[in-house]
Amino acid sequence: MRALVRRVENVLPAVAAAVASAIAMGGLTAWTAAGAAGTPAEPEVTHARLLQPFPGRESTAVVFTITNGGNATDRLTGVSSPAVTEAMLAQDADAGEAAAKMQMIASVEVPAAGTLEMTPYGTDVMVKLREPVRLGQRIPFTLHFEQSGDVRTEALVVRHSEWSYR
C-alpha cells in the first residue's frame, strides 16, 4: 500500500500542472475566440489637409484624421515630409479671456478603436515649408507612431476655410 501512495505522490504534481495548463489554455482560447484578446493599433490616416500659408509666410498647419481600427491605444510621436524643414505637434491651450495660445507637444494619443481628428484650433502639426505650395497640390507626409511604426499619406493644399473633411 505504501508503494502505491508513493507512486501517487510522485505523479500528483505533474497531474496538477497538466490540469492547470489545460484550464489556462481553455480560458485563453475562449478569451481570444470572443475577441477579448484585442488587436494591435491599426492607424489609418485620412483627410490630410495642409493649409495654404498666408502671403509672405512659410509656416502653416497640417491636419489629419487618424482612425485606429485596433483595440490598442497608440501615440503619434512625430510627422516628417521632404517638403518641410520643421514639423512639430502642437495643441492650442486656453490663455484665458476667450483666447488661446499654441504649445508644442511631444506626442498625442490615438485612442483604441477610436479617432483623432486634428483641427487648426486644437491639435495639429505646425510646419515650415521648404518652398511655396499651390492650392490642390499634394504634399507627402510620414506619420510616426509609437507602436505601429510609420504611415505614409499625402496632404492636399487647401484654403484655411476648407480644412474640414465635412
Side-chain angles (χ1 to χ4, degrees):
M1 184 70 161
R2 190 160 213 196
L4 180 62
V5 170
R6 258 190 232 147
R7 281 187 185 165
V8 170
E9 287 176 346
N10 289 338
V11 175
L12 195 56
V15 170
V19 169
S21 294
I23 291 170
M25 288 302 291
L28 287 172
T29 301
W31 186 51
T32 302
T39 58
E42 298 173 10
E44 178 184 350
V45 180
T46 58
H47 304 102
R49 302 287 186 259
L50 185 144
L51 282 61
Q52 183 182 38
F54 291 112
R57 293 286 194 79
E58 51 190 30
S59 295
T60 190
V62 185
V63 295
F64 305 94
T65 298
I66 305 168
T67 303
N68 183 352
N71 290 331
T73 298
D74 206 344
R75 296 195 74 77
L76 176 64
T77 58
V79 176
S80 60
S81 170
V84 305
T85 59
E86 293 179 61
M88 300 171 286
L89 293 170
Q91 193 168 53
D92 283 353
D94 185 14
E97 298 184 29
K101 65 178 180 176
M102 180 177 52
Q103 64 184 25
M104 297 307 130
I105 56 176
S107 65
V108 62
E109 183 176 287
V110 183
T115 300
L116 167 65
E117 286 189 37
M118 293 183 167
T119 73
Y121 312 107
T123 302
D124 60 16
V125 180
M126 295 304 301
V127 297
K128 185 173 181 181
L129 298 168
R130 289 186 191 279
E131 299 175 0
V133 294
R134 65 186 184 289
L135 289 175
Q137 185 177 352
R138 294 194 173 274
I139 308 296
F141 281 91
T142 302
L143 283 70
H144 309 286
F145 293 92
E146 188 174 76
Q147 301 297 321
S148 305
D150 295 347
V151 175
R152 290 183 173 84
T153 192
E154 289 185 338
L156 180 66
V157 178
V158 298
R159 291 180 179 88
H160 280 258
S161 60
E162 298 172 345
W163 65 267
S164 178
Y165 64 90
R166 294 181 180 135

